[in-house]
Amino acid sequence: MEPIPLPLDDLVARLGRWSAGRGPLYLLLAARLRQLIDEGLLPAGTVLPPDRRLAAALAVGRTTVVTAYDTLRQEGRVVRRQGSGTRVASAAIPPRPRVRETSNPLFLHLLEAPDDVILLSCAAPLGPTPELTRAYRTMTLPDGDLGYHPAGLPALRTAIAARYARRGVPTGAEQILVTTGAQQALALLVRLLIAPGDEVLIESPTYPGVLDLLREAAALPHPVAVGPDGIDVTEAVRVMECHRPALAYVVPRFHNPTGTVLPPLPGRRLVEAANSLGVPLVDDEVLADLAFDPGPAQPPLSSYGEVIGVGSLSKAVWGGLRIGWVRGPAALISRLARLKAIHDLGSDVPAQLVASRLLEEYEPILASRVRTLRSAHDHLRAELTRLLPSWSCPPAAGGQTLWVHLPYGDGVAFTQVALRHGVAVLPGATMDTLGGSTRCLRLHFLLAPDVLSEAVRRLTTAWREYAPNATAASPTPSPAPAALNAITL
């Protein structure tokens, strides 16, 4: 059997929170590798990374990896030979999965069983708003309704369209498709518009969830760097002129993960170039409403021309309310609705009824969420400045995350140390297809102040272990919050 290459970063991501349990590290590592082998995610013949390389990536001693491999060798799960390395044995191994499963740490952390790890990896509100709870309590289900609405409940489509109109973008209900969250919206667009081998313009770094979708579609990402003012529009226009990508995907306001904002004039230039070159431009608007400045909102990209907008209520209301949408030309929305019908026949009707109610009182809900976010943003930055002064964490103008730059080292390796100290963060390298951002971390500030303080204290301890010569203030000992074990997001 020909050896199956396994990228080191892919294995590290699949290992997930392997070190967060109890017991010797080599047993914890062997247990997770055993699980991946038994589930067929490491098929027979897969060549595992050399001892030293895997040890460096996991920030552990080489002996930990050697002993874990030897444990699996004794079980017959791996074969180790001098000169040919370590590979998964062929005996009793399930077949390789027919579809590519995610190795994205953003998603894998959500699939882990709850533990005492503080998750600064998945940026979503911890619990529903009071308005959502009231809306469910007072909801009345419709009589005489079949319950299948592939394009979305008419009332909700109308409410979303009206919100665009209030922002200066005239929109009809026929231009709105309701989806099960923004992730499904992106998945439907990728499935409809991209064929294997198609090029796609993306930002670098970018939202990691879209990278998984492009891998699944066998697309060829064409990354364009993000600077202090968002995507490099001059380079993006050049890419569109030279390559005519099948799709361009951008997050212009409170960019995920860097938090940058694309100014209006470059935004207009980007839209006009995409329209003139016939490149479908997707504007991820999920974070667009979360501006800390109460001043006038910046116009959406769709005000400059034809843009496919993707939105969601998950960031302002709750991630458990799986309501997202696509705004675009009516012909595109009709095609997307037919595709969505194949997969789920339409999103949950009670959730759509509740979402319609919430959009009637959305501005107060949004204002309350932004106040909480602004306060938590300031608290997290203050704690990082106090305990980790060597880290660079520029303030954000909105959104939910900070883009932190480490003074040296490797973000992927440091996240492994951080996990062993009970906090999960996203390394920048997992979001950057240009190969940069290796010293960056994405941290969200959606937890209670005492939990954020505890998270920074743990990160400080982890940084002292990872970089013992680093200069950092001595953390003030504090007891873990009583509710810490209940944290799952």
Side-chain angles (χ1 to χ4, degrees):
M1 176 181 293
E2 288 295 320
I4 302 172
L6 179 67
L8 178 62
D9 57 351
D10 188 70
L11 176 60
V12 172
R14 288 185 181 278
L15 289 173
R17 298 208 293 274
W18 69 273
S19 62
R22 296 183 182 277
L25 287 177
Y26 82 89
L27 287 179
L28 297 175
L29 179 57
R32 184 54 62 92
L33 287 170
R34 182 185 303 116
Q35 179 185 5
L36 295 176
I37 291 170
D38 291 349
E39 291 178 353
L41 297 176
L42 294 178
T46 299
V47 178
L48 298 177
D51 309 341
R52 295 185 188 278
R53 289 192 63 212
L54 183 57
L58 298 179
V60 298
R62 178 170 175 256
T63 303
T64 296
V65 177
V66 170
T67 310
Y69 279 172
D70 283 343
T71 299
L72 297 173
R73 178 185 58 78
Q74 294 169 18
E75 298 172 356
R77 285 181 167 83
V78 303
V79 176
R80 284 167 65 76
R81 291 192 179 94
Q82 187 72 28
S84 60
T86 304
R87 68 184 63 196
V88 178
S90 58
I93 301 301
R96 186 178 182 88
R98 295 177 59 191
V99 297
R100 180 184 176 91
E101 299 176 11
T102 184
S103 60
N104 185 336
L106 175 67
F107 298 143
L108 293 181
H109 280 305
L110 294 177
L111 293 168
E112 295 275 2
D115 51 28
D116 65 349
V117 174
I118 301 175
L119 295 188
L120 295 187
S121 48
C122 181
L126 189 61
T129 62
E131 294 86 353
L132 176 59
T133 302
R134 286 198 300 270
Y136 266 107
R137 286 175 178 167
T138 58
M139 176 188 61
T140 302
L141 294 175
D143 291 327
D145 189 315
L146 191 61
Y148 296 114
H149 298 276
L153 204 64
L156 180 56
R157 298 176 75 189
T158 298
I160 295 170
R163 180 161 178 78
Y164 275 98
R166 289 194 295 271
R167 297 166 65 199
V169 184
T171 302
E174 72 281 358
Q175 293 178 263
I176 300 295
L177 172 79
V178 177
T179 60
T180 306
Q183 186 68 21
Q184 188 191 50
L186 293 173
L188 292 171
L189 286 166
V190 168
R191 186 174 290 270
L192 182 67
L193 299 177
I194 297 175
D198 280 349
E199 291 186 272
V200 178
L201 187 155
I202 60 170
E203 298 161 313
S204 189
T206 190
Y207 165 55
V210 82
L211 296 177
D212 270 4
L213 295 173
L214 297 181
R215 293 188 194 102
E216 183 183 44
L220 300 176
H222 209 302
V224 175
V226 171
D229 292 321
I231 188 172
D232 182 341
V233 171
T234 298
E235 175 63 11
V237 172
R238 188 195 69 79
V239 167
M240 288 190 287
E241 289 174 342
C242 295
H243 298 272
R244 300 296 173 97
L247 187 73
Y249 168 80
V250 295
V251 189
R253 277 182 64 74
F254 315 122
H255 174 258
N256 185 358
T258 67
T260 59
V261 176
L262 183 66
L265 288 180
R268 180 188 292 274
R269 183 185 173 203
L270 181 68
V271 173
E272 291 175 348
N275 287 178
S276 66
L277 295 168
V279 176
L281 177 62
V282 175
D283 176 3
D284 188 331
E285 304 175 283
V286 169
L287 300 170
D289 290 330
L290 304 180
F292 296 161
D293 186 349
Q298 182 173 308
L301 290 187
S302 50
S303 65
Y304 305 133
E306 186 171 296
V307 173
I308 303 169
V310 171
S312 168
L313 294 180
S314 64
K315 305 306 181 184
V317 182
W318 185 41
L321 182 65
R322 305 303 303 141
I323 295 296
W325 59 82
V326 180
R327 178 204 176 271
L332 173 68
I333 295 302
S334 180
R335 294 177 65 199
L336 287 169
R338 292 195 293 272
L339 180 59
K340 179 174 166 60
I342 297 173
H343 291 279
D344 63 9
L345 293 177
S347 298
D348 179 72
V349 168
Q352 293 185 68
L353 290 169
V354 165
S356 301
R357 175 83 61 85
L358 293 177
L359 285 177
E360 296 174 0
E361 50 180 339
Y362 193 57
E363 296 310 320
I365 295 173
L366 189 59
S368 175
R369 178 67 74 193
V370 167
R371 285 194 298 271
T372 300
L373 286 172
R374 183 167 51 233
S375 175
H377 164 274
D378 295 345
H379 179 81
L380 178 57
R381 287 197 71 242
E383 290 291 85
L384 289 169
T385 300
R386 181 173 69 90
L387 296 178
L388 289 162
S390 65
W391 290 16
S392 172
C393 52
Q400 304 179 130
T401 59
L402 291 177
W403 189 236
V404 174
H405 299 257
L406 304 178
Y408 51 85
D410 177 80
V412 172
F414 173 68
T415 59
Q416 294 294 313
V417 181
L419 273 175
R420 298 199 286 274
H421 288 274
V423 58
V425 298
L426 284 185
T430 63
M431 298 170 260
D432 195 329
T433 55
L434 282 175
S437 305
T438 56
R439 292 183 180 173
C440 296
L441 306 173
R442 195 196 78 171
L443 312 179
H444 77 72
F445 39 84
L446 287 154
L447 300 175
D450 60 336
V451 181
L452 290 174
S453 294
E454 173 65 12
V456 176
R457 189 194 68 78
R458 295 184 186 189
L459 287 172
T460 302
T461 305
W463 182 247
R464 285 183 177 278
E465 177 183 322
Y466 179 76
N469 296 324
T471 301
S474 299
T476 302
S478 59
L484 199 56
N485 290 341
I487 295 170
T488 58
L489 283 178

